[in-house]
């Protein structure tokens, strides 16, 4: 170990002591100094080792280009595992690393204590590396193109997992998909605009019966249960008509999918469930880490030059971006504000219980909205126009964008549509229409997984439409009419 | 000291994963380019600037599709540097990706903008295009009549012309000799004696140049318009560049004809229009004479390509057929292209179909993006 590494090591230990002294509670951390190439690779893949897909290459290229052009820079990357892995950019200066190390400890504290992370596997590095091996084996066996086809399709719907039933310390099952066949009269419970995700039939509340049944199977790992006994478990709720977990439904019921293809779907599903909590705690977690690195730095003995450099770097991190919202900035502002009126214990409690959605809903105050000059805007004609600046409307609009991780909610209504084995999906419209080009393309991708035709019900400009993809051709018709396509 | 904090540094030079997948992404981009090849190779910005400009193509197919909200219909939240009031204009939609869907831009650094606009240079296009083309009947043995010899200096001898003295080797010999003799003291000047001299010598070798000539023939009768000329120009543009890959020298001669044929400059060939009827045999006759005079088939790879709208004088067809047969015999490939806006095939085309020699490649172009297929038909 050379001198620089020794110094860094001592520094990391010292800062850990300071941070723990201030109350942060984090897993052991393995810091790894890596060159920009490696750091940006991990940033693009989200993990040091992950399966191969061109979309990661595209992301890597973009991030790397930004770095090469000096447009943006990642200083660190933290992996939510135990022990946690933190990657520091080679060439960070000592003072930069001081700040970054403090930032890392706060992230790991958040991962360890926040409720939404309680069920993420702590050995995800190894799991994802095993996934990568498995997928590589499929590539050898079935050819890269075939694997890529499946992957393209699965990645397009990777967000549509039932992450809500994967929250909390409970050692219980996911709710079970049941092959759904509807009678016409029985049709679904949530209608158009009224659906808020709370409609009866919503899976999370329906599966209590099955949960109780499986509780005694005391499961050691929160995911192992998924693939064995629970998949075969019978769901007892007859009224259950919607199923949230599209990927699980496909694994279970897709008529034409081979085992290895199902395995790919399940791999993506597992990784998606792992990443979901990070997506829904971006603002609060970045804010928390930024809040703490500033706090820790004030505890350290810095020289004047270091203090100045720290101030410059910190202000870069929390720079408000033009019109967009910098999560670091918004997050740290709320935490700063909360720190003024709450005790440190109360702050620690908030970091356990809140995610972005609740954090904004509960703590974005009138004063903050006004101080930060927040406003709502939308497209009016050819212009982007400010529409509202009342604090409650701003807050509610932010909340709305955070619902479901910012993704539209798509549920399975039926697995034997029109008696021809079609998959019938429904977009629970919550006020915003879908991007139609994307909808059509995604639908053909889902169809390639499902094998038979796939339909999706949604609302466009106030009218209910059914989009259907069969044989890779998408047609559209007004719902209610049973015959005749009005457009293709 | 806490022992659960570890700082480590490994060698990451072999970590190439990002690059590998980036390569795959690039391949996908190329696949898209290939699909659009027909449109791209007739792009004016490439043909009319002689390949100096690049062309931009939006690549929707490389987007990562998912169910997502319509960005343009969404209510967004932003942050300003000052207080903003309802009605303030933030920006204009830049209209990128206009038409269906449209990736919203406008308000600056908004997410969801995923148009991947690839810049395709002439080289990129050429590489992808030429990968698919090949040169049938390639004959490397053909040489020009006077295969001029080329001297090649490849040996060193003790005797030779003083003008060819090899200074470096001579000096080396001198140093070597004096080092062996040991009589000189160290400061003595280096002397070159006659036995140190070394001379470069050469061997003569015949020069293996392969030559090709393109005989660009075009109907310039009244019925050939801008479109027809542009199509043939595009075809020749790529053809010349492709042949240059295979041959050291590619010559190009331009023959224009209506009822009579004459040789013209490149500029005249593509710009000047004439009128009158069409007698294709005239240009075939002219080409055969030219070949006989200047391009003996034993030494040249000959590529005559003829573009016309096929509207030949009926009485000329038999004559044209005979001459075409002769032309096919002496050439590597003969291209005959009819640029047609109607769906009728001309009588000349059906006459020429009687020639069964595979060296004659017949193509019909009805739309600009068929140039690509025509190139593939001729060079396959």
């Amino acid at each position: 170990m050379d001198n620089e590494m020794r110094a860094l090591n001592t520094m990391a230990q010292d800062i850990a002591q300071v941070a723990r002294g201030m109350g942060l509670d984090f897993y052991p951390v393995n810091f790894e100094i890596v060159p920009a190439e490696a750091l940006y690779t991990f940033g693009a893949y989200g993990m040091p080792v992950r399966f191969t897909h061109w979309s990661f290459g595209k992301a890597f290229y973009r991030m790397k280009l930004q770095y090469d052009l000096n447009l943006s820079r990642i200083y660190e990357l933290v992996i939510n595992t135990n022990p946690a892995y933190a990657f520091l950019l080679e060439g960070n200066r000592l003072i930069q690393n001081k700040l970054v190390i403090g930032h890392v400890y706060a992230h790991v504290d958040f991962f360890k204590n926040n409720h939404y992370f309680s069920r993420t596997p702590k050995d995800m590095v190894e799991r994802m590396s095993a996934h990568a091996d498995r997928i590589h084996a499929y590539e050898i066996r079935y050819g890269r193109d075939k694997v890529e086809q499946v992957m393209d399709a699965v990645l397009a719907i990777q967000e549509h997992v039932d992450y809500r039933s994967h929250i909390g310390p409970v050692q219980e099952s996911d709710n079970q998909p049941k092959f759904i066949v509807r009678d016409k009269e029985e049709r679904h419970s949530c209608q158009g605009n009224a659906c808020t995700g709370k409609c009866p039939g919503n899976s999370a509340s329906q599966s209590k019966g099955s949960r109780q049944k499986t509780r005694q199977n005391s499961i050691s790992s929160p995911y192992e249960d998924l693939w064995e006994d629970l998949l075969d478990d019978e769901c007892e709720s007859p009224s259950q008509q919607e199923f949230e977990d599209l990927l699980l439904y496909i694994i279970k019921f897709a008529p034409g999918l081979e085992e290895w293809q199902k395995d790919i779907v399940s791999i993506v599903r597992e990784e998606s469930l792992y990443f979901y909590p990070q997506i829904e705690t971006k603002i609060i977690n970045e804010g928390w880490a930024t809040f703490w690195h500033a706090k820790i730095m004030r505890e350290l003995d810095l020289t004047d030059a270091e203090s100045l450099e720290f101030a410059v770097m910190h202000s870069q991190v929390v720079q408000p971006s033009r019109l967009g919202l910098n999560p670091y900035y918004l997050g740290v502002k709320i935490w700063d504000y909360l720190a003024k009126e709450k005790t440190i214990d109360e702050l620690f409690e908030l970091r356990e219980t809140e995610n972005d959605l609740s954090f904004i809903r509960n703590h974005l105050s009138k004063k903050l909205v006004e101080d930060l000059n927040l406003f709502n805007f939308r497209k009016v004609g050819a212009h982007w126009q400010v529409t509202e600046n009342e604090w409650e409307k701003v807050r509610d609009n932010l909340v709305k964008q955070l619902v479901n991780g910012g993704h539209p909610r798509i549920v399975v209504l039926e697995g034997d549509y029109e008696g021809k084995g079609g998959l019938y999906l429904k977009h629970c419209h919550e006020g915003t229409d879908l991007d139609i080009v994307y909808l059509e393309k995604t639908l053909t991708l889902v169809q390639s997984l499902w094998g038979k035709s796939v339909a999706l019900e949604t609302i466009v400009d106030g009218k209910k439409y059914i989009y259907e993809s069969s044989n890779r051709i998408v047609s559209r018709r007004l719902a209610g009419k049973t015959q005749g396509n009005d457009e293709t | 000291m806490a022992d659960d904090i570890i700082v480590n540094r490994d060698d990451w030079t072999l970590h190439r994963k990002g690059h590998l997948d980036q390569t795959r992404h690039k391949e996908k981009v190329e696949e898209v380019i290939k699909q659009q090849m027909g449109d791209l190779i007739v792009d004016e910005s490439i043909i009319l600037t002689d390949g100096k400009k690049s062309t931009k193509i939006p690549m929707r197919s490389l987007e990562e599709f998912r169910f997502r909200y319509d960005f343009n219909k969404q209510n967004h939240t932003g942050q300003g540097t000052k207080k903003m009031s309802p009605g303030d204009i933030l920006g204009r939609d830049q209209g990128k990706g206009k038409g269906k869907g449209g990736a919203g831009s406008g308000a600056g650094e908004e997410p969801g903008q995923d148009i991947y606009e690839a810049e395709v240079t002439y080289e990129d296009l050429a590489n992808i295009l030429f990968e698919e083309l090949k040169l049938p009947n390639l004959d490397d043995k053909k040489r020009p009549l006077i295969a001029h010899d080329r001297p090649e200096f490849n040996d060193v001898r003790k005797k030779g012309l003083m003008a060819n003295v090899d200074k470096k080797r001579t000096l080396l010999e001198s140093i070597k000799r004096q080092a062996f003799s040991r009589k000189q003291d160290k400061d003595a000047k280096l002397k070159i004696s006659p036995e140190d001299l070394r001379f470069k010598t050469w061997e003569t070798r015949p020069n293996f140049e392969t030559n090709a000539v393109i005989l660009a023939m075009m109907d310039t009768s009244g019925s050939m318009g801008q479109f027809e000329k542009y199509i043939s120009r595009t075809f020749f543009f790529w053809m010349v560049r492709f042949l240059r890959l295979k041959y050291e020298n590619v010559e190009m001669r331009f023959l224009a004809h209506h009822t009579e044929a004459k040789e013209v400059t490149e500029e005249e060939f593509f710009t000047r229009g004439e009128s009158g009827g069409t007698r294709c045999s005239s240009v075939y006759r002219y080409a055969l004479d030219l070949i006989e005079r200047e391009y003996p088939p034993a030494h040249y790879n000959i590529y005559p390509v003829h573009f016309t709208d096929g509207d030949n004088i009926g009485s000329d067809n038999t004559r044209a057929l005979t001459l075409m047969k002769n032309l096919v015999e002496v050439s590597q490939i003969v291209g005959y292209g009819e640029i047609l806006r109607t769906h009728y095939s001309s009588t000349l085309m059906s006459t020429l179909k009687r020639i069964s020699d595979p060296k004659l490649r017949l193509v019909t172009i009805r739309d600009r993006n068929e140039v690509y297929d025509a190139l593939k038909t001729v060079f396959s």
Side-chain angles (χ1 to χ4, degrees), chain B residues 284-302:
Chain B
Y284 299 157
R285 175 82 264 159
Y286 196 100
L288 283 166
D289 290 346
L290 194 65
I291 292 169
E292 198 181 332
R293 275 202 320 274
E294 296 181 35
Y295 304 104
H299 305 289
Y300 277 92
N301 296 283
I302 301 167

Side-chain angles (χ1 to χ4, degrees), chain B residues 24-25 184 187 219 252 272 276 307 319 331 334 363 372:
Chain B
R24 177 64 188 141
H25 179 235
Q184 308 275 347
D187 299 328
D219 184 351
M252 209 168 164
R272 197 173 291 178
F307 278 101
R319 204 173 140 77
S331 307
V334 180
V363 291
Y372 179 45

